[in-house]
Structure formats: C-alpha cells, structure tokens
Amino acid sequence: MVDLARYEKQILFKPIGRNGQIRLGQSKVGIIGVGALGSNLANILCRAGVGRIILADQDRVELSNLQRQMLFTERDIGHPKAIRAARRLTKINSDVAVEAFFEKVSQENFVELFKDSDLLFDASDNFPTRFLINDMSLKLGIPWVFSGVTASSGQSMLIVPTKTACLGCFIPDEDPGENFPTVNNSGIIASIVASIASISAAAGIKYLMEKTADSNLVYFDVWQQEFFKTKIEASLNCLRCRSEKLRSK
Amino acid sequence: MKINVEFVGAINPGPYKKKQSFEVKDKATVKVFLETLEHIDKGHLSFVQVVCNGTRASHTQLLKEGDRLELMLMVGGG
C-alpha cells in the first residue's frame, strides 16, 4: 500500500491532486538511455511516484559522466548505468518498481522491453535511435517525449501517434552525419540537462494526467536565456506517419 | 528583399552576427536562404527549425520582405 503522504505537496498541485497521484502510481514508463537526460528524468519520475519505470542502456558509468548524470557517484564507475540507476532509484522511492536492462535498445528487443508502457522518454544520444523510438511508437501506439541536449541548448516535445506531428514531420533526415554538434565536440553543461529533463518530465506527467497533447516544440538555451515554443503541424508528406494518419481516419 | 535573422542557441552564426539582416531574392524559400549560409554543413540543414514571424515555417515556405526568422538547430546529445 502506497503512503500518499510522501506526495503531499504534489497532491496539493491541483492539476495532479489525489486522483492524479493514484493514476501516476498506476502508470508504466520506459526511459531509453540512462545517461544525462535519462538519469535526471528517472530521478524526477521516481520521486513523483510513477509506479513502474523501465530503464535500458548499454553503457557503463565513467568518471566524466558524474558532472551531469545525477544518479551516479564515484562508486558506480565501471558498472552498468541502468543497473546502478535502478538500485539508486529503489532507495529513493521503494514504492516504485524499477526494471533495468543492460542492453542496447534495438528494433529486435523494443517490443519486449517497452510493450504495455503508457509513455516512453527519449534519453538517447543520437538521432537514429530517436527515429527507432518514433517508428516503434507509431507501430505500438505509445506516446513518447523527444528530448535532446548539447552545449547549453536543448529541445523537448511530446509526440502522440496520430494526434501530433511525429519526428519525421519536422526532421526529414535520420542522421546528420559528420561534424554535427554533439556532446563530444561541443561539450555540455549540467544546467541544460536538468532543464530539459524537467520540461520533458513535466510534459510526460501532464500527459499521464490529461491524455492531451498540444504539439509544441520547446527549445531552450540556458546560457543565453533564450526560450522558444512553437507549434509543429503534422506533415501530410511525412512518409513515417502518413499511413498511421490514414488509418486513424 | 530584406529579411531579419536571429541565430538561436546551438546553431553557429559563423561569419554573421547573432542578429543579422540578409538580402534574398524575391520568391526565395526558406530552404534557398538556408543554403546560402555556407558555414552550415548541408547535411545539417534538415535539423534546422525555422520560426518565421513567430510561427514555425517549413523549408518550402516562401519568404517575403521584412520576415523575421529565428533559426534553431535540433541537438542530439542525451
């Protein structure tokens, strides 16, 4: 039996309330990637009382991760991120069932890992994986939150199959190729990770409460203090979601 | 015709100022304008989101005199 006293202040927040808190406790989410975004997202969602959290990542913790990957300590170095994150999350909130998979998410294991999820969070570090999430989300009918961060910038968008634009509607190519700004060549500060993870977690929790989506892309640069929100319309020419759109009519 | 452009966040302004006016040909599209920014790798242009006068613009949208564009690069780290 979950003690709702833990969530007293969150329940006071009217859009969630007691019923919303119970709904959160009955929800299952998947987080693809347990690096910077993934560990921040998992921290927020676990503390918020999401009932089941699935973590998947094939990497091990490195010293250079500790600057921004909030769930890890020096004792975790060399160990699988997903496993160590799950251990930490269980200590933070034992009401939450956390399942960890030390493996790369692929087309082959996607359904097995994330079937029956209410919502997925993209915390990957490359666009091909994001397009895998996009395409599997369309196939399985599972909404997901697109996130990305580099340097001091990041973006977030809730994508709901047949209700909002999909990733292919506004990014037509899967892979930007060489010289694209990445964490490895442009660096990253922890503030943008925490900011985008917070925006994405809030969008996800709101979706679990209300089951609505506004198709807004949020773009934020924490260093320049620039914040943009723009509505993304579904593209009728998008080959990825066009068949799903037609099917839903 | 003249348009006003702002480079937002992670996108590199290259030789230009963060806020800069550009001369473009009549009936130029967003894509045609983006391709004139030679410091941006052509393979990265699909990842540039454009907001025109406060509304997201597709790369096929026609530009007009006085348009105010904001360019944002979708970033991929996680």
Side-chain angles (χ1 to χ4, degrees):
Chain A
M1 187 69 182
V2 174
D3 183 357
L4 291 180
R6 176 193 290 261
Y7 310 109
E8 180 188 346
K9 299 298 185 284
Q10 188 165 274
I11 289 169
L12 280 173
F13 178 62
K14 285 194 173 67
I16 294 181
R18 189 174 186 282
N19 289 342
Q21 189 63 52
I22 291 168
R23 202 172 310 144
L24 272 184
Q26 294 166 341
S27 299
K28 175 182 173 180
V29 304
I31 301 177
I32 295 120
V34 194
L37 280 173
S39 57
N40 277 270
L41 279 163
N43 186 33
I44 295 169
L45 296 168
C46 179
R47 290 178 190 274
V50 171
R52 291 182 67 192
I53 298 176
I54 314 297
L55 304 173
D57 194 301
Q58 83 266 30
D59 288 340
R60 295 174 184 271
V61 180
E62 299 175 19
L63 177 63
S64 64
N65 298 152
L66 302 184
Q67 162 248 358
R68 63 196 180 282
Q69 301 189 12
M70 298 301 187
L71 289 176
F72 306 124
T73 69
E74 292 174 3
R75 295 184 69 173
D76 297 316
I77 292 171
H79 294 278
K81 290 181 180 179
I83 307 296
R84 298 301 271 215
R87 185 183 295 185
R88 181 79 191 276
L89 292 170
T90 304
K91 287 179 183 168
I92 290 169
N93 189 346
S94 59
D95 291 339
V96 177
V98 185
E99 293 174 63
F101 296 91
F102 177 39
E103 56 188 282
K104 182 180 170 70
V105 174
S106 67
Q107 197 158 14
E108 286 69 39
N109 64 8
F110 199 99
V111 174
E112 187 61 31
L113 291 173
F114 301 115
K115 66 184 174 194
D116 305 327
S117 294
D118 297 296
L119 184 65
L120 302 175
F121 288 89
D122 155 38
S124 65
D125 62 1
N126 62 85
F127 278 99
T129 300
R130 292 187 170 96
F131 277 99
L132 171 68
I133 300 168
N134 184 72
D135 294 348
M136 294 306 289
S137 149
L138 286 167
K139 186 176 176 182
L140 300 172
I142 301 175
W144 66 290
V145 185
F146 161 55
S147 306
V149 287
T150 291
S152 59
S153 296
Q155 74 272 336
S156 169
M157 180 176 165
L158 170 67
I159 295 176
V160 182
T162 74
K163 304 286 186 212
T164 69
C166 85
L167 191 60
C169 290
F170 62 103
I171 303 179
D173 288 340
E174 267 196 36
D175 193 343
E178 293 180 359
N179 304 318
F180 195 71
T182 66
V183 170
N184 290 332
N185 61 28
S186 302
I188 189 154
I189 55 174
S191 304
I192 190 62
V193 177
S195 301
I196 292 296
S198 296
I199 291 168
S200 293
I205 289 171
K206 185 178 180 189
Y207 177 77
L208 292 172
M209 297 295 97
E210 301 175 359
K211 301 288 188 208
T212 59
D214 50 17
S215 208
N216 283 326
L217 173 72
V218 171
Y219 192 91
F220 184 43
D221 187 289
V222 72
W223 197 261
Q224 304 292 339
Q225 298 189 343
E226 295 170 321
F227 188 94
F228 281 84
K229 185 173 85 168
T230 187
K231 193 172 182 67
I232 304 281
E233 301 291 349
S235 168
L236 293 173
N237 299 320
C238 176
L239 296 175
R240 292 178 181 276
C241 66
R242 189 169 60 183
S243 60
E244 299 302 325
K245 285 189 206 110
L246 292 172
R247 201 177 300 160
S248 69
K249 283 185 178 170
Chain B
M1 63 182 174
K2 194 164 94 173
I3 60 170
N4 301 303
V5 176
E6 180 174 0
F7 297 88
V8 176
I11 193 165
N12 177 10
Y16 307 110
K17 294 177 190 163
K18 187 170 168 55
K19 291 184 181 179
Q20 171 99 35
S21 294
F22 288 86
E23 281 292 335
V24 295
K25 290 179 181 170
D26 286 349
K27 297 185 179 174
T29 61
V30 167
K31 182 171 186 252
V32 166
F33 164 66
L34 290 176
E35 286 174 347
T36 66
L37 303 174
E38 292 182 351
H39 69 286
I40 299 179
D41 189 308
K42 295 293 171 280
H44 301 175
L45 292 182
S46 296
F47 293 81
V48 176
Q49 296 301 313
V50 180
V51 173
C52 180
N53 305 322
T55 303
R56 192 246 175 188
S58 74
H59 286 198
T60 56
Q61 181 170 316
L62 287 173
L63 294 169
K64 58 182 190 302
E65 174 72 28
D67 273 348
R68 181 174 51 82
L69 303 189
E70 282 130 356
L71 310 185
M72 289 165 270
L73 183 70
M74 296 292 94
V75 289

